[in-house]
Amino acid sequence: MPALHRALRTSLCAASLGVAAATSTMSAPACAADAKTLVFCSEGSPAGFDPGQHTTSTDFDASSNTVYNELVEFHRGTLDPEPALATSWDVSADQRTYTFHLRRGVRFHTTAWFKPTREFDADDVLFTFNRMLNPDDPFRKAYPTSFPYFSDLGFDKNLEHIDKVDDYTVRFQLKQPDVIFVRNLAMNFASILSAEYAAQLSAAHREADINQLPVGTGPFVFRSYQKDALIRYDGNPNYWRPGEVKLAHLIFSITPDPGVRIQKLASGECQVSVFPRPADLEVVKRNPDLTLVSGVGFNVGFVAYNTQHTPLDRVEVRQALDMAIDKPAIIKAVFAGNATVATNPMPPSQWSYDKQLKDAPFDPAKAKALLAKAGFPNGFDISLWAMPVQRPYNPNAQLMAQLIQQDWATIGVRAKIVSYEWGEYNRRAKQGGEHDAILYGWSGDNGDPDNWLGTLLGCEAVHGSNLSKWCDPAFNALIVKGRESSDLATRTQLYEQAQVIFKQQVPYTPIAHSIVSLPASRRVKGLVFSPLGSHRFDGVSLD
């Protein structure tokens, strides 16, 4: 073993031992060389471990994709829902009543801070959703927090009540029909938490621990977290899916720098890395010990305009900013060609994508004339927020921001680039809405057009994932009708009409649909590319 390789592995083991020493309840850690220990070089620290409170894949990889399960889940590597903590479900003819039959014999994790006395049942489902639905829920009152996805999807307004039919049957009653309700329950935010654990936390006045010391039913048991350094998990030996947990230990080695991630992968310090820079792909391809798990990304990267800020509330101004961006130049410089120019607010592989829509031409002269007509012949000052981390839809937001800054300068718009730590970036953008323009993006969550149009652009999401803060009544009415119809042709027509309004109003400029690659050691077996942008390690093993 080369000296550098050996030193890096020793470094990781030393760091792991340091965490173990600080957490007396944790078993002695295994080193990266252990065939039962996989190290994942992740891109950032999660904001927390309660999936209901968060919206990014950084948070979900560390929580819902490891520690938890949902009632319904997407089969690994697909957009196909399959039974999980619910074995089956019944839907009423009017699409307003959904009855779920729960799996028996599932146990929550045993940890140093919680030992379950009963199996998973209906009480856990009721707790999970009632704390999001009811602002007077005792746990919610004791630990005030927001649930962005729950409200982005309109669940807070449409979910009338949840009933416990018996210990293993729950019924969701909706106010209005929702044909994508089951798919939405397969999303990460709907991970099922333990009511018994919540009651224990409430009795001890430690409600906030539910976001820091998670307890779930998933394939991996959370052990410890050292911010900006490591997250440690053990394989769940009692997982309800027999044979799916092949790793004894899983370590997230938090590594924000993409160059360092690739170095760690090449040296063997980690076996899977995330979000490589385009230039790193050739490095991986030339290394016989490494491979790329790749696929066409189910994503879109964009720059959103805060329509509640002057002058971005003017459609002519947004059209001018849109027309001044040289998208092909961005694809070449930022993605090194590993992306396609985006036109619509969803990827071309999404059903109901309107192929007839065209981008406004790249025309700085016309854009400058539009600004003058809108009353800004000398341009204006604007903030442009850029992400500090790599995302599947944007490998280098800082460079993209600089290119857009240069493009806008040609029409007199003076953009100041702003950035924050990733968790703070999300919090400020979604809750505070301080930004003028902001670089962001989306990887599909459930395979339905509503996930792009409703979650990112609907009126319910203005205080959440709708970073344009755009609420168009005509657009929103089409989205609501789309949720109520079970006819695919009708839904397609509604969503095509919505995309036309989007292109006319330009709440954000779609930039790119990227190709996503996951570099890994050839020792890794069973790693599957996910169109949802998630990273799951159930079913994964090491030679």
Side-chain angles (χ1 to χ4, degrees):
M1 181 185 296
L4 175 60
H5 189 165
R6 185 167 53 248
L8 286 169
R9 282 188 169 174
T10 302
S11 171
L12 178 62
C13 268
S16 301
L17 286 166
V19 177
T23 311
S24 59
T25 58
M26 189 173 64
S27 60
C31 294
D34 183 354
K36 287 290 186 178
T37 297
L38 186 143
V39 181
F40 172 52
C41 276
S42 62
E43 79 282 12
S45 294
F49 294 88
D50 174 1
Q53 298 183 39
H54 309 294
T55 62
T56 77
S57 62
T58 305
D59 305 308
F60 294 150
D61 282 346
S63 58
S64 52
N65 292 326
T66 47
V67 178
Y68 295 101
N69 293 114
E70 294 81 36
L71 293 175
V72 185
E73 294 178 354
F74 294 105
H75 186 72
R76 278 199 317 139
T78 77
L79 297 172
D80 302 327
E82 65 180 5
L85 292 183
T87 57
S88 62
W89 48 89
D90 306 312
V91 185
S92 64
D94 65 0
Q95 305 282 340
R96 292 181 55 229
T97 305
Y98 289 78
T99 304
F100 290 84
H101 306 283
L102 307 183
R103 189 175 300 276
R104 297 171 184 264
V106 178
R107 296 193 66 84
F108 282 93
H109 301 155
T110 295
T111 68
W113 50 88
F114 176 68
K115 294 178 175 56
T117 64
R118 62 167 178 81
E119 294 179 348
F120 155 77
D121 65 19
D123 289 334
D124 303 306
V125 180
L126 264 63
F127 165 72
T128 296
F129 290 98
N130 277 331
R131 71 193 175 109
M132 294 190 273
L133 177 64
N134 181 9
D136 294 322
D137 181 89
F139 192 88
R140 175 83 172 271
K141 291 180 71 175
Y143 177 41
T145 187
S146 63
F147 299 98
Y149 253 128
F150 191 77
S151 57
D152 287 353
L153 296 170
F155 276 25
D156 56 335
K157 295 180 176 63
N158 196 34
L159 184 53
E160 192 167 17
H161 53 78
I162 312 166
D163 300 315
K164 176 181 175 180
V165 179
D166 57 43
D167 284 347
Y168 289 94
T169 312
V170 293
R171 180 178 296 132
F172 292 77
Q173 184 63 45
L174 309 182
K175 298 176 184 176
Q176 301 295 329
D178 186 351
V179 299
I180 53 176
F181 186 70
V182 171
R183 280 188 170 273
N184 283 338
L185 288 190
M187 291 165 58
N188 301 85
F189 84 97
S191 297
I192 303 300
L193 279 62
S194 165
E196 184 183 15
Y197 178 44
Q200 174 185 302
L201 292 177
S202 291
H205 305 292
R206 296 181 60 87
E207 289 84 4
D209 281 1
I210 205 164
N211 195 35
Q212 300 301 324
L213 297 172
V215 171
T217 59
F220 295 94
V221 182
F222 175 89
R223 292 307 185 200
S224 67
Y225 169 46
Q226 184 180 352
K227 185 174 172 60
D228 299 330
L230 292 171
I231 313 173
R232 291 186 54 84
Y233 309 86
D234 287 343
N236 180 2
N238 302 311
Y239 192 41
W240 55 270
R241 282 185 171 125
E244 280 298 298
V245 180
K246 305 178 187 299
L247 298 169
H249 309 284
L250 174 65
I251 299 172
F252 279 33
S253 178
I254 300 168
T255 313
D257 188 310
V260 176
R261 289 199 297 269
I262 290 297
Q263 291 174 12
K264 285 184 175 182
L265 184 69
S267 70
E269 188 176 348
C270 62
Q271 288 76 51
V272 181
S273 184
V274 72
F275 307 146
R277 298 169 301 187
D280 294 327
L281 298 179
E282 289 303 316
V283 175
V284 174
K285 291 175 182 177
R286 290 196 301 266
N287 190 324
D289 296 327
L290 304 180
T291 187
L292 286 171
V293 179
S294 302
V296 177
F298 196 54
N299 61 42
V300 61
F302 56 80
V303 54
Y305 309 115
N306 190 333
T307 59
Q308 295 183 1
H309 286 190
T310 303
L312 299 174
D313 55 345
R314 303 278 299 276
V315 66
E316 300 96 333
V317 170
R318 300 195 299 270
Q319 289 171 340
L321 294 174
D322 175 83
M323 201 178 299
I325 297 175
D326 187 350
K327 294 184 186 180
I330 290 175
I331 298 295
K332 181 178 180 180
V334 176
F335 297 88
N338 292 295
T340 57
V341 168
T343 299
N344 294 6
M346 59 175 72
S349 56
Q350 175 66 69
W351 64 266
S352 81
Y353 179 91
D354 190 344
K355 298 178 182 178
Q356 305 304 314
L357 290 177
K358 305 297 180 186
D359 255 347
F362 171 59
D363 192 337
K366 187 175 179 180
K368 190 170 179 61
L370 266 177
L371 283 187
K373 183 178 178 182
F376 300 95
N378 300 316
F380 52 85
D381 295 307
I382 190 174
S383 66
L384 172 59
W385 288 26
M387 296 166 290
V389 295
Q390 291 74 40
R391 307 302 296 152
Y393 45 76
N394 192 335
N396 192 336
Q398 296 293 322
L399 176 57
M400 185 182 291
Q402 292 167 16
L403 294 172
I404 293 174
Q405 181 186 51
Q406 293 170 16
D407 287 341
W408 286 348
T410 64
I411 62 171
V413 174
R414 299 166 292 278
K416 178 183 178 182
I417 298 174
V418 176
S419 192
Y420 296 95
E421 180 272 330
W422 183 225
E424 185 70 4
Y425 188 92
N426 278 287
R427 187 191 69 79
R428 285 174 177 260
K430 293 177 180 180
Q431 296 179 17
E434 304 168 31
H435 58 280
D436 292 326
I438 183 169
L439 288 177
Y440 212 75
W442 200 254
S443 294
D445 286 302
N446 64 13
D448 194 273
D450 182 83
N451 189 237
W452 309 94
L453 302 177
T455 308
L456 292 180
L457 294 160
C459 293
E460 297 96 337
V462 162
H463 300 293
S465 297
N466 182 345
L467 300 188
S468 300
K469 312 302 177 185
W470 180 68
C471 177
D472 183 280
F475 178 93
N476 206 67
L478 293 168
I479 302 310
V480 172
K481 288 180 181 177
R483 293 173 185 160
E484 296 176 350
S485 175
S486 57
D487 181 69
L488 188 66
T490 299
R491 295 189 74 204
T492 297
Q493 185 179 38
L494 291 168
Y495 294 140
E496 287 177 345
Q497 293 173 30
Q499 290 170 76
V500 171
I501 294 175
F502 169 86
K503 291 302 288 183
Q504 293 169 345
Q505 294 295 314
V506 201
Y508 72 69
T509 294
I511 302 291
H513 305 297
S514 71
I515 296 170
V516 179
S517 296
L518 190 64
S521 165
R522 290 192 181 275
R523 295 177 55 213
V524 178
K525 306 300 178 185
L527 187 66
V528 177
F529 170 79
S530 170
L532 300 170
S534 60
H535 302 100
R536 287 174 53 175
F537 296 99
D538 48 320
V540 174
S541 63
L542 279 173
D543 278 350

